[in-house]
């Protein structure tokens, strides 16, 4: 073996060992800072030499009669974090509503058409990451279409963030994400319990959140899982991280959508940077940690200004300043 290849293999082994040994440790302030440093290392520099699209083209699959806010929050957050283009694939009825929230989003009214999987499939080769679920709803036809789109994204090797009703779909059919190395699941408390029962056959052990998240991740074939809560617990089958960045006590709807949209971009950046850059935690762990820290920081900053009246729209206004503060200063 050439010396260079030998060194690279050795560095790879050391990384796996370092991760395996750190999985049972708590995540201290020092660890938080070193993980934030890893996030900083995946952020692409803003230079004049790039063309539109290079820093990310993200798709969100969701948006139906009842829910138009959730896909908007996810898609606009992806843009505000730094993606160049953000697409929403929603139902015909939801499209004009979502378009009217923002001229910045590209909105495709295709999700309830009989041709949905082919129509979205045409766009997939141009997308760097797909967020499946915010505002999708639980209509059988929409879930079947989301399933077809998810399968096409996997076939194309596209990173997928699965949230909200996308997690409902995965709880019905865990095989959809089983072993896919570019999948991240972002369950809230209820979604996590539902997934654990579906995959492991029992409710999670509430006294051992780290163990519960690690077990679910491993049972799904080392898919990255982010359990949101008072602290966010993140596992990739090998290592467990915790994000306890100060947030706020406001629990208004939509904060999870901000997180999943941000994660779409960060997952793309992290996978593009690769494990050499993240040095220690896997790229998707670093991306997930970054999205959690950012969401919580947005919540904190918005709450300082608006207190009890804070809503997710106020948090989205903080994405730029919060991002600079955490990852650029
Ligand atoms: N503006 C919009 O368009 C938005 C749309 N959204 C979209 O809505 C769709 C449904 O998503 P969802 O998250 O509301 O799930 P759902 O299964 O109805 O469960 C909700 C119930 O679960 C519970 N619960 C929740 N958290 C808990 C906790 N930590 N600890 C304990 N219990 C907890 C709580 O139950 P309760 O307290 O009422 O008994 C709550 O009422 C999905 O498409 C999503 O994207 C949202 O993104 C928001 C913004
Ligand atoms: N008790 C808490 N204390 C502090 N932060 C929290 C708490 N619960 C959740 N969060 C934070 O709020 C964000 C969204 O998590 P949440 O559990 O509300 O998601 P969700 O229910 O999916 O939201 P959405 O309303 O968008 O569907 C995450 O960044 C998480 O860290
Ligand atoms: Mg949610």
């Amino acid at each position: 073996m050439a010396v260079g290849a030998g060194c690279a293999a050795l560095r790879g082994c050391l990384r796996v060992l370092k991760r395996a040994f750190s999985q049972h440790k708590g995540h201290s302030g020092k660890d938080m800072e070193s993980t934030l440093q890893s996030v900083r290392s995946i952020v692409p520099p803003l230079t004049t030499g790039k063309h539109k699209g290079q820093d990310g083209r993200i798709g969100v699959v969701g948006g139906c009669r009842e829910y138009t806010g959730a896909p908007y929050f996810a898609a606009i957050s992806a843009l505000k974090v730094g993606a160049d283009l953000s697409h929403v694939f929603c139902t015909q009825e939801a499209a004009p509503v979502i378009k009217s929230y923002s001229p910045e989003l590209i909105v495709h009214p295709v999700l309830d058409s009989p041709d949905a999987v082919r129509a979205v499939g045409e766009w997939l080769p141009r997308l760097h990451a797909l967020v499946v679920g915010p505002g999708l709803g639980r209509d059988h036809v929409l879930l079947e279409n989301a399933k077809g789109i998810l399968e096409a994204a996997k076939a194309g090797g596209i990173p997928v963030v699965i949230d909200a009703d996308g997690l409902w779909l995965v709880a019905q059919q865990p095989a959809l994400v089983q072993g896919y190395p570019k999948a991240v699941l972002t369950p809230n408390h209820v979604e996590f319990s539902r997934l654990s029962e579906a995959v492991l056959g029992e409710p999670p052990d509430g006294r051992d959140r780290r163990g519960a998240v690690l077990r679910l991740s491993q049972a799904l074939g080392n898919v990255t899982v982010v359990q949101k809560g008072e602290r966010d617990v993140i596992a990739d089958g090998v290592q467990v991280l915790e994000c306890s960045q100060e947030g706020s006590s406001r629990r208004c709807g939509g904060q999870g959508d901000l997180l999943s949209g941000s994660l779409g971009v960060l997952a793309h950046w992290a996978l593009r940077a690769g494990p050499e850059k993240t040095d220690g935690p896997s790229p998707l762990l670093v991306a997930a940690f970054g999205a959690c820290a950012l969401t919580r920081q947005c919540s904190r900053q918005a709450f300082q200004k608006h207190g009890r009246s804070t809503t997710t729209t106020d948090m989205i206004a903080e994405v730029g300043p919060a991002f600079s503060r955490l990852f650029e200063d």
Side-chain angles (χ1 to χ4, degrees):
M1 197 192 312
V3 175
C7 287
L10 188 61
R11 274 200 303 275
C13 285
L14 285 173
R15 260 199 310 276
V16 170
L17 280 175
K18 205 161 124 189
R19 294 175 60 202
F21 278 119
S22 66
Q23 70 173 271
H24 293 298
K25 281 194 315 191
H27 207 58
S28 65
K30 188 161 153 271
D31 294 334
M32 286 261 299
E33 185 43 47
S34 93
T35 315
L36 283 172
Q37 195 52 47
S38 296
V39 182
R40 290 178 197 122
S41 76
I42 63 156
V43 175
L46 288 170
T47 64
T48 52
K50 287 189 195 161
H51 64 258
K52 177 181 59 182
Q54 257 182 301
D55 279 345
R57 293 183 292 267
I58 309 300
V60 175
V61 177
C64 62
R65 172 179 289 193
E66 291 85 359
Y67 307 123
T68 55
Y72 162 77
F73 291 142
I76 199 77
S77 299
L79 272 183
K80 295 277 180 193
V81 165
D84 292 332
L85 293 163
S86 193
H87 296 253
V88 176
F89 301 96
C90 60
T91 64
Q92 179 131 34
E93 214 177 355
V97 181
I98 299 171
K99 283 177 205 270
S100 74
Y101 297 151
S102 164
E104 283 137 355
L105 303 179
I106 302 165
V107 184
H108 307 264
V110 295
L111 207 51
D112 49 351
S113 97
D115 209 18
V117 178
R118 190 203 54 77
V120 180
E122 281 190 0
W123 285 94
L124 284 180
R126 279 172 270 176
L127 298 181
H128 296 114
L130 202 62
V131 182
V132 181
L136 177 62
R138 298 194 186 153
D139 175 89
H140 178 68
V141 171
L142 297 185
L143 290 174
E144 273 302 300
N145 287 340
K147 176 183 167 183
I149 294 164
L150 188 51
E151 281 169 338
K154 274 168 49 186
I158 298 168
V160 290
V161 176
I162 305 184
D163 188 28
D165 302 310
L167 295 169
W168 171 265
L169 177 64
V170 168
Q172 316 298 310
Q173 303 178 51
L176 273 175
V177 295
Q178 183 76 36
Y180 185 54
K182 294 185 186 173
V184 188
L185 313 187
T186 55
N188 64 19
H189 178 81
V190 175
E191 292 156 347
F192 183 80
S193 297
R194 189 184 295 128
L195 275 172
S196 293
E197 284 181 35
V199 174
L200 299 164
E202 58 185 13
D205 179 356
R207 294 158 307 176
D208 177 18
R209 284 186 60 206
R210 295 171 67 90
V213 180
L214 184 62
R215 267 191 295 284
L216 178 64
S217 163
Q218 287 172 340
L220 286 169
N222 292 354
V223 154
T224 302
V225 177
V226 181
Q227 190 201 22
K228 298 173 289 189
E230 192 171 346
R231 285 171 292 112
D232 298 324
V233 181
I234 312 163
D236 67 352
V238 179
Q239 195 174 355
V240 185
L241 300 182
E242 278 177 33
C243 180
S244 51
Q245 184 76 28
E246 189 178 337
S248 84
S249 312
R250 268 296 273 154
R251 300 272 64 82
C252 57
Q255 301 186 42
D257 306 317
L258 193 164
L259 192 156
S260 59
S262 309
L263 182 49
V265 191
L266 288 165
H268 163 53
W269 289 349
L271 288 167
R272 186 171 62 180
E276 290 291 337
K277 267 273 173 77
T278 54
D279 188 35
S282 67
L284 288 180
L285 269 188
V286 169
F289 185 91
C292 292
L294 179 68
T295 307
R296 298 169 74 101
Q297 180 69 21
C298 288
S299 183
R300 179 184 180 184
Q301 291 180 196
F303 189 78
Q304 280 166 352
K305 292 185 186 165
H306 305 281
R308 189 178 287 276
S309 80
T310 301
T311 61
T312 299
T313 301
D314 302 318
M315 288 173 54
I316 286 166
E318 298 298 330
V319 168
F323 190 98
S324 298
R325 186 163 188 154
L326 290 176
F327 309 132
E328 289 179 321
D329 280 353

